[in-house]
Every structure is written in C-alpha cells, then in structure tokens.
Amino acid sequence: MTTRTLYLLCSAAPPVFEIAGVVEEAQARGWDVCLGLTPTAAEWLEDSLPGLAALTGHPVRSRYKRPGQPDVWPSADAVLVAPMTMNTVNSWALGITGMWLVGFVAEAIGKGIPLTAMPCVNSAYVQHPQFLLSLETLREAGVRVLYGPDGFEPNAPGEKRPYPWAVALDAVDEPRS
C-alpha cells in the first residue's frame, strides 16, 4: 500500500489538546501524519512535543526553517488545518504569512495541494464581518472549508462541546473532484 502523507496543522484552540488521539485516528486510516502548530499551540503543548514527535515519527514544526536547511517532512498528499482560530482564518485569507503554518498553507494553494480547513471559533467571533469574508476567500481559492451544518458550528462563548474531528478526518479521506 502506498503511504499517504497528511499535514495536520493546528492553531491554539482547546481541541488542540486532543491532538494525540487525532493523530492516532489518522494513522489508523492509513495516513503518515506530520504535525504542525502555530507558535501559541506549540507553547500550549510544549511538554507533549517530544511524545507527539515520537508518535508521528516526524519533528513537530511551528516555525519557518532557515534558508538552505532541508525539509524534514515528506511531501504532503493532503493538508488539514484544524482547529483553525479566527487569527489563522483571517491571516490565511489575507495572505499575512508571519507564522510558518499560514505561510505553508498560503503557498499550498498555489501548489495545488488538497486543503481542508475547519474553524474553531465561538459565536461572538463569527459576528466580525471579516470572518465570513475570509472563509469565502479560502473557498474561492479551492480550500474545502468545513463550516456550518456539515462541519463546525460555533458555540456560545465559554460553552464546551466536542469538536467534530471525525468530520474533518472523513473529509480528507474523501477524494476531491
């Protein structure tokens, strides 16, 4: 069987604390998983980073590499950006690539790498006019955005409920037309 490589790229939202189980589920589905984090997500998971690197078999990335350094990951067959915060949504849509994760996915649009993204924001954030504009921009660029009844639906500020990881993993498993 040919190995498929999934880049699992995560922002600093509470579901990131569940990432080890998500990696294991993706691996059970036949993916070789490379884990990338925003700098804040990497800080949140600092104590878990060695274990996550061992689990994936790849270094966990959160920063740009230096020019001339070799890439430490195999090429991506698919990318899942989840959980995706408001900052990541808007930075990506606007092309603000100060974070490695956003820089990678911005470039991945132009490289034609299949991209799936699922936000994790509360209902107060989605009232900001830029949020829905940014999601539409990403969709128009070819990103599969899992938002609404068939993906992530915002919760009230402070409300805790399960993040739909299975929906996201199912989406990256589906062939894209």
Side-chain angles (χ1 to χ4, degrees):
M1 177 180 164
T2 303
T3 302
R4 304 175 299 162
T5 301
L6 174 67
Y7 285 15
L8 178 56
L9 307 179
C10 308
S11 300
V16 80
F17 290 109
E18 304 163 358
I19 206 61
V22 177
V23 168
E24 290 170 337
E25 176 60 26
Q27 290 170 331
R29 293 171 180 234
W31 290 102
D32 176 24
V33 180
C34 297
L35 180 62
L37 305 169
T38 62
T40 302
E43 181 183 320
W44 286 9
L45 297 175
E46 183 176 10
D47 294 341
S48 302
L49 295 179
L52 290 166
L55 178 63
T56 64
H58 303 285
V60 177
R61 291 192 60 189
S62 62
R63 302 199 181 281
Y64 283 104
K65 64 182 182 70
R66 291 188 177 133
Q69 285 184 323
D71 201 341
V72 295
W73 288 356
S75 297
D77 294 299
V79 176
L80 173 59
V81 185
M84 184 172 60
T85 61
M86 175 121 168
N87 185 50
T88 300
V89 169
N90 291 331
S91 295
W92 185 9
L94 295 170
I96 301 169
T97 60
M99 289 186 291
W100 167 80
L101 185 152
V102 175
F104 176 82
V105 293
E107 186 176 28
I109 291 171
K111 290 181 172 182
I113 300 170
L115 295 158
T116 301
M118 189 162 63
C120 183
V121 295
N122 68 43
S123 59
Y125 277 120
V126 303
Q127 299 307 308
H128 191 284
Q130 186 60 49
F131 179 75
L132 292 177
L133 291 172
S134 290
L135 292 184
E136 186 56 32
T137 297
L138 294 175
R139 285 186 178 114
E140 288 174 3
V143 178
R144 176 187 238 167
V145 178
L146 306 173
Y147 178 76
D150 295 327
F152 176 80
E153 294 191 83
N155 50 287
E159 178 186 357
K160 305 279 189 256
R161 65 176 132 124
Y163 188 69
W165 283 112
V167 170
L169 292 174
D170 288 347
V172 295
D173 279 338
E174 292 173 7
R176 302 269 312 250
S177 54

